[in-house]
Every structure is written in structure tokens, then in C-alpha cells.
Amino acid sequence: MKILIKGGRLIDPANSIDDQLDVLIENGCVAAVGTNLDSDNAQVLDATNRLVVPGLIDVHVHLREPGYEYKEDIQSGTRAAVAGGFTSVACMPNTDPVNDNKTVTSYICQKAAEVGLATVFPVGAITKGLKGESLSEMGQLREAGCVAVTDDGRPVDDGEIMRRAMEYARSFDLPVISHAEDLAIVGGGVMNDGFVATELGLKGIPWVAEDAMVARDVMLAEFTGARLHVAHVSTRGAVEIIRAAQKRGVAVTAEVTPHHFTLTEEAVRGYDTNAKMNPPLRSADDVAAIRQGLADGTIGVIATDHAPHHRDEKNVEFNIAMNGIVGLETALPLTLRLVEEGVLSLSEAIARLTCGPAQALNLSRGSLTVGSIADVTVIDPECAWKLEAEELLSKSKNTPFDGWSLKGKATNTLVRGKIVYNSDEV
Ligand SMILES: [Zn+2]
């Protein structure tokens, strides 16, 4: 089976390519990249006026299976992924049962392979049951297919346990993903601490709850030599701590979500529970710092933290609503807005969604190098569309972007050389 993607603007930041080039795919791999490639008995995919990029990678997704299939499952989640242009997703371990052992990891890998849409890279738990008490069997997790470890959704409170976790993870070359918040400082906070919280009468979460934990984890990474990846950075201070650590050679990478670089705490006005997340939407000053961090490369990864919740879990009083929003189908256009606004070049934007995440979790993806696995996303950058939450392919519809006018859409998504999404056929 041969596919020739013809006439597109190929952007492959890993190889510093931005040029009018064809891509030939054969046997699931990139067979050739060049001009006027021979289309002999190949299926031709016309990419005129389209961008052709390495398949997008999302390193922070909650697929909710096993245990919470009423919110999302591996099938619906990976379908939403490929519709959003993502060919690979890393799924967080806070399922039921928790992915803290090889049985759960194997189940996820097997189910994802059966579904056959996006490639799923499971992330295992740092501690058993996400309880923060005893370390999981990281060697077994790695063997079963886990690419990193995290207790995402919760920090590892105890600094000594986090230190041991990093030493242990390092021996298996597993990156440790930090969910950085000091729960004692968070207290009962439900949104960013500040003027808006005061006006709304909601308890705030101050920025120092995040900065303090990012600082601890960066220092532990420096001390242990572990590879650290900081999830969903939301504060100016966190960006500054990470930037300084990278300058002195600490192995730390970081991600930011589209909602944290697009929205501020103002979105909470009206008590919209679709603006409730953890970490919370921050101040305009924090958003400016995050954008600066993306621009200078301190933050090399854009990740969605795709967090599906049933409407009954959001359609409640702000204080008790669940945290998080879905993001797989809105990440690409929201990232392309950063290009329109002059924050990132187009190539930088694509890098934050491809080689950046691949490098952070050491995944053999993220480029269109000849011989590599043919994960490819074709994008219509001019496609203007209106987001209707009800039309999302995710089982859950919790998005603060309902009704937004967006620009840019994946038109074809190829995983291992197979077309798994075609926008014309939806
Ligand atoms: Zn998460």
C-alpha cells in the first residue's frame, strides 16, 4: 500500500524543513520526501494549499478507560484525537484501577491496538494507587509499555518519596511528570487567587502553590539527575524557575495547555464551570509569561490535558464541579492563533506539537525523516469553522470554547501510513 501526499507545504521542524515537497509512504513508513515524486500505483492525496506535518503528539490526555467509560473510552478518545490531528497520545494513569501495574498497562495497549486509531503511549503511576506512599514497580511498567511516570491529578506530597521516585525512574530512563501543586497552600481554593476570585466570592489558589512545587521538583531533578517534565505550567514563576534550571543544565522540559495560553481567570466570571480547571486559569500577566516561555523555547510542548467529564459533573455549583476540559479537537486551531498573533512562527507552533513532545517523553515519533513511522497530519490552515460542543467526537462536551470561531483544521490524519481520519468523510 503506497500513498503519495502531493503538493503540500511540508513543515518538519525536527529536520528544519519548510518547503513545497511531496511525501511518499510505503509499508507504514516514510519512503521518500522530495519534489515530483513518482505516483506509480500509489493512492494520491492532494495537499494543495495544505500543510503537511509530522503527526501531532499530545503527551497529556485522560482517556478514562478503564473505569470511567461514561466520560470517555479508548475508542472515543482516540477518535477525537485523530479528528484533532493527533496521531499519538500519552494517557494519564488516574483510571480505575489505577495504571500502577503491568496488567492495566497491557490492557490499555491492547485495546488501543484493537481500535487502531491514534497510537496510545500509557503513562504509569509514580506511587501505588496514586496514594503518594509507596513506589510502583517502574521496571514492570516500562516493560509493559509505559513511557513515563506521574501521579497526575495529584502532586507527590512527600519530598523524600519524590526523591526516591526520581532515583528509581532514572534507573529505567523513565521521565517523571510533575503535577506541581502544594496542596497545603491550595487549601480549599477553586480558582486563581486574586481580584476576580474576591469579586466572585470564591476561594483562591495562589500562584505560589504551583511555584513552590515546581521549585522542589526541579531541585530534586537536579539532585538526582532524573528527567523531569512539568505538566500544565500556568504561572510566571514556574516559567522562570524552569528557564533558570534549563540554563544550568537540569534535564527539565515543560508543557502548557491551549486553555492556559488562551484564557485568563476572567473566563470564570458567570461561574462557568467549563472554566474550572487545575491548575486554574491565571492572570493576564501569567498568560503573557507563558507565551514568552513558548516563544523562547523554555516551554517546548503544547499538551491538552484533555479531561472529559459528564455534564452532571459540570452542571453543578462552581465549588463542587470537577476540574478540567476536553481539548483534543481544539488544540490545533488554538495553537495556530498564536501564529496569527505573532507569538510563534508556524514552524515553532508545529514543533511544540510534534518534535517537542516527542523529545520530552523520548518517543520515536515527531518527524518525517525518511524511514520513520508514517504518522502524518494534513492541515487546512485557512479552514474557518465554528466550534459546536455538541458536535465534538469526544463523549464529553465540557469546553469553554463552545461557539468560538476557529481557524485551521486537520483534514487527513495518517497513523502508520494508514488514513484514519478524513474530514470529508465525517
Ligand atoms: Zn491531567
Side-chain angles (χ1 to χ4, degrees), residues 60-62 92 94 152-153 179 232 278 305-307:
H60 193 146
V61 164
H62 297 270
M92 297 295 118
N94 60 343
D152 181 59
H179 171 109
H232 40 54
N278 187 19
D305 195 1
H306 179 80

Side-chain angles (χ1 to χ4, degrees), residues 159-417:
E160 172 63 3
I161 290 173
M162 192 58 155
R163 173 199 166 184
R164 297 293 172 206
M166 286 200 197
E167 286 172 347
Y168 196 39
R170 189 191 163 199
S171 67
F172 297 108
D173 197 28
L174 283 170
V176 176
I177 303 174
S178 165
H179 171 109
E181 57 173 341
D182 182 317
L183 291 177
I185 301 175
V186 168
V190 293
M191 71 168 290
N192 187 47
D193 188 47
F195 185 65
V196 181
T198 307
E199 276 202 340
L200 293 177
L202 294 171
K203 189 157 189 300
I205 304 171
W207 52 263
V208 70
E210 178 165 329
D211 295 20
M213 204 56 128
V214 170
R216 184 200 75 174
D217 285 351
V218 161
M219 300 308 285
L220 286 173
E222 187 163 17
F223 179 71
T224 60
R227 277 153 43 87
L228 178 70
H229 177 72
V230 184
H232 40 54
V233 170
S234 76
T235 64
R236 171 175 289 278
V239 177
E240 285 168 1
I241 292 162
I242 293 161
R243 183 183 288 125
Q246 287 171 342
K247 280 205 178 114
R248 53 177 202 274
V250 183
V252 54
T253 54
E255 76 190 30
V256 64
T257 71
H259 42 281
H260 285 111
F261 66 62
T262 303
L263 302 172
T264 69
E265 58 194 339
E266 293 290 334
V268 180
R269 285 191 193 280
Y271 302 92
D272 181 2
T273 55
N274 281 322
K276 186 180 180 192
M277 25 255 195
N278 187 19
L281 296 171
R282 300 284 188 184
S283 70
D285 177 62
D286 292 306
V287 173
I290 284 166
R291 288 171 164 231
Q292 182 53 41
L294 273 169
D296 69 19
T298 303
I299 301 173
V301 179
I302 291 172
T304 65
D305 195 1
H306 179 80
H309 289 298
H310 191 269
R311 74 180 82 240
D312 293 348
E313 295 165 327
K314 281 289 194 183
N315 214 352
V316 291
E317 187 188 328
F318 194 89
N319 277 316
I320 56 170
M322 292 260 189
N323 283 309
I325 62 165
V326 293
L328 284 165
E329 294 166 80
T330 46
L332 175 62
L334 291 172
T335 300
L336 293 175
R337 281 165 66 106
L338 293 178
V339 179
E340 292 229 324
E341 290 167 8
V343 178
L344 298 178
S345 70
L346 184 55
S347 179
E348 285 167 342
I350 299 303
R352 303 293 179 272
L353 292 166
T354 58
C355 52
Q359 187 230 329
L361 296 198
N362 201 21
L363 308 175
S364 55
R365 296 292 194 285
S367 85
L368 293 173
T369 308
V370 171
S372 63
I373 290 168
D375 285 359
V376 188
T377 303
V378 182
I379 298 164
D380 179 352
E382 297 302 324
C383 172
W385 58 290
K386 189 174 162 197
L387 180 78
E388 305 277 4
E390 283 309 312
E391 288 173 15
L392 291 171
L393 295 177
S394 172
K395 270 190 196 176
S396 295
K397 316 295 177 192
N398 48 315
T399 172
F401 302 112
D402 189 22
W404 278 44
S405 297
L406 300 170
K407 208 168 116 188
K409 203 172 189 325
T411 57
N412 305 89
T413 308
L414 289 81
V415 175
R416 295 171 189 270

